[in-house]
Amino acid sequence: MRIQKLIIAFVVLGLNLSSCSKNEDADIIEILPEYPMKTLMEDGAMELVNTKVNSPNTHEIGYRFKSFKNGEITALGIRVPDNGSYRVTVWNVDTQEILGTAYVTSTSGLLSFEDIDPINIESGTEYFVGINTNDYYIFNDSGNDIFPVESNNILVLGYSAQFGANQVLPGNLVTTAYLGMVDVKFVPNN
């Protein structure tokens, strides 16, 4: 009788061990997307000082950034003080190549995102994301440097603008102010 109980115990133990797989035992790590500019705004890195709606000048405005990890941009976002559809572009700054363009529809004052075909991002490469608009917010920090600043796995280097409606990569980098509100949904590789 004792041997039968011992055999049954080993069979039950063997079945329990064989039913466990490595996948069930492995830790599941969920990689959360990052929204660099949204995070900076929520953290109070800069203060809203003015709003422009239907300004006489149209600009390509946005920010330059580098990532600390490889990953993908899977959506482009905007927050503008007017309703409408706005062109958003991502460039590789070094090559001046346009990596992606999408038209994102704004709901006055709300942050709106549009999913895109993923854009591969390489760690250490400089990128620019910009919106073409004459409706925008103006942020600063009382003349203090805002940029460069880290936002999770993204280093925002500064703000740039180019007059006109053409799809042109802006040149000069400003570190004490920010116009617009354009953002990316960045999903880092683990």
Side-chain angles (χ1 to χ4, degrees):
M1 186 73 142
R2 191 170 198 194
I3 293 181
Q4 285 178 330
K5 286 183 181 181
L6 192 55
I7 292 173
I8 291 172
F10 280 119
V11 168
V12 169
L13 180 63
L15 288 173
N16 283 335
L17 290 176
S18 67
S19 69
C20 293
S21 70
K22 285 187 175 184
N23 290 341
E24 292 174 344
D25 292 341
D27 290 335
I28 297 174
I29 299 173
E30 182 181 358
I31 299 173
L32 298 175
E34 300 174 12
Y35 304 90
M37 195 53 65
K38 176 181 180 278
T39 300
L40 291 175
M41 297 291 174
E42 289 172 349
D43 290 348
M46 57 194 97
E47 180 183 330
L48 177 63
V49 294
N50 204 345
T51 302
K52 296 284 186 179
V53 177
N54 293 319
S55 169
N57 297 314
T58 298
H59 302 77
E60 190 77 38
I61 53 179
Y63 62 92
R64 289 188 189 188
F65 66 95
K66 291 182 179 182
S67 66
F68 297 117
K69 290 186 174 184
N70 293 338
E72 294 179 331
I73 293 174
T74 60
L76 299 174
I78 61 172
R79 180 178 167 223
V80 280
D82 201 6
N83 295 325
S85 182
Y86 297 84
R87 184 184 69 219
V88 179
T89 306
V90 178
W91 281 271
N92 176 314
V93 172
D94 297 330
T95 65
Q96 298 191 3
E97 175 187 5
I98 293 174
L99 303 176
T101 300
Y103 285 85
V104 181
T105 301
S106 168
T107 303
S108 184
L110 300 177
L111 187 58
S112 306
F113 277 87
E114 184 72 33
D115 289 337
I116 59 168
D117 291 336
I119 298 171
N120 290 322
I121 298 298
E122 294 180 15
S123 174
T125 300
E126 194 170 320
Y127 299 93
F128 180 85
V129 60
I131 178 175
N132 192 263
T133 183
N134 65 343
D135 305 311
Y136 50 89
Y137 297 105
I138 301 171
F139 300 89
N140 73 27
D141 184 21
S142 302
N144 298 315
D145 279 342
I146 300 170
F147 307 110
V149 63
E150 289 183 24
S151 177
N152 297 313
N153 287 299
I154 298 291
L155 176 64
V156 179
L157 301 167
Y159 149 78
S160 291
Q162 176 72 41
F163 283 110
N166 295 329
Q167 200 168 18
V168 176
L169 177 63
N172 295 333
L173 201 61
V174 176
T175 60
T176 58
Y178 177 67
L179 268 62
M181 178 40 182
V182 62
D183 210 354
V184 297
K185 178 181 178 182
F186 175 68
V187 181
N189 296 344
N190 48 348

